[in-house]
Amino acid sequence: MKQVRNNIDIKKFLPHRQPMLMVNNIAYIDADSVTAEFNISPDCVFVKNNVLSETGLIENAAQACSAIVGQSYFEVDDLEGEGNNIIGYISAIKKVVISDLPKVNETLITKAKLISRYDTDTMSICTIQGSTFRNDDLIVDCTLNFLIHEL
């Protein structure tokens, strides 16, 4: 089991870069859960009229969620994300409920839990439940399937 890690610079582990990077920081991660932070900037590709779109909310949740399984492709002491090259895909959106759209300069907290996982030598298929909060208000509830594999 992977150890608990706090305040991880997600840019070192996700293949995404600006303008597609939708997570700023991993505040907490263990083998089955993650808490991620995202500050909505005015130059975010998914912002229109100072509001983050539904697509942006789903991408934020997906990037946070995929970190749970994605971390297993790196060694525990690899704090720079140099030990592997992986990519992940949303293979299915099982459920998404969006109750509100956040605005520029607001901070989102996305919490996710691993529901199921199947691994082969080079890939993982998983289902993850995610919840995104603005302040203490739940604004996104989703269940996503992913395919994550080494390049």
Side-chain angles (χ1 to χ4, degrees):
M1 175 185 284
K2 293 282 185 182
Q3 68 184 29
V4 171
R5 297 168 84 176
N6 296 295
N7 296 313
I8 303 297
D9 183 357
I10 193 64
K11 291 185 298 292
K12 296 178 180 178
F13 296 92
L14 284 177
H16 303 80
R17 293 294 174 259
Q18 292 298 347
M20 289 298 294
L21 188 61
M22 300 296 292
V23 173
N24 299 118
N25 184 54
I26 298 290
Y28 174 90
I29 191 167
D30 63 27
D32 300 313
S33 66
V34 67
T35 300
E37 302 166 345
F38 179 59
N39 301 307
I40 305 167
S41 66
D43 62 342
C44 175
V45 70
F46 296 111
V47 167
K48 184 175 181 182
N49 298 325
N50 279 343
V51 174
L52 184 65
S53 70
E54 293 88 345
T55 306
L57 286 168
I58 293 168
E59 184 61 26
N60 164 261
Q63 289 182 25
C65 289
S66 65
I68 297 170
V69 173
Q71 71 175 323
S72 65
Y73 288 86
F74 297 88
E75 297 298 323
V76 173
D77 61 350
D78 182 358
L79 301 178
E80 298 300 316
E82 297 172 352
N84 212 321
N85 192 10
I86 62 171
I87 192 159
Y89 308 93
I90 301 172
S91 59
I93 297 176
K94 295 180 87 169
K95 172 184 104 170
V96 172
V97 176
I98 297 173
S99 61
D100 200 9
L101 299 177
K103 294 179 175 53
V104 167
N105 297 323
E106 293 184 322
T107 298
L108 303 179
I109 304 296
T110 301
K111 298 179 180 187
K113 291 187 183 259
L114 181 65
I115 296 172
S116 67
R117 177 177 180 168
Y118 174 77
D119 294 322
T120 69
D121 289 339
T122 60
M123 71 172 195
S124 298
I125 299 170
C126 57
T127 301
I128 301 174
Q129 188 279 324
S131 302
T132 302
F133 299 86
R134 179 191 51 211
N135 301 320
D136 291 328
D137 298 327
L138 176 66
I139 61 170
V140 179
D141 183 30
C142 62
T143 304
L144 307 171
N145 287 356
F146 295 93
L147 170 66
I148 298 172
H149 68 89
E150 294 176 288
L151 295 176

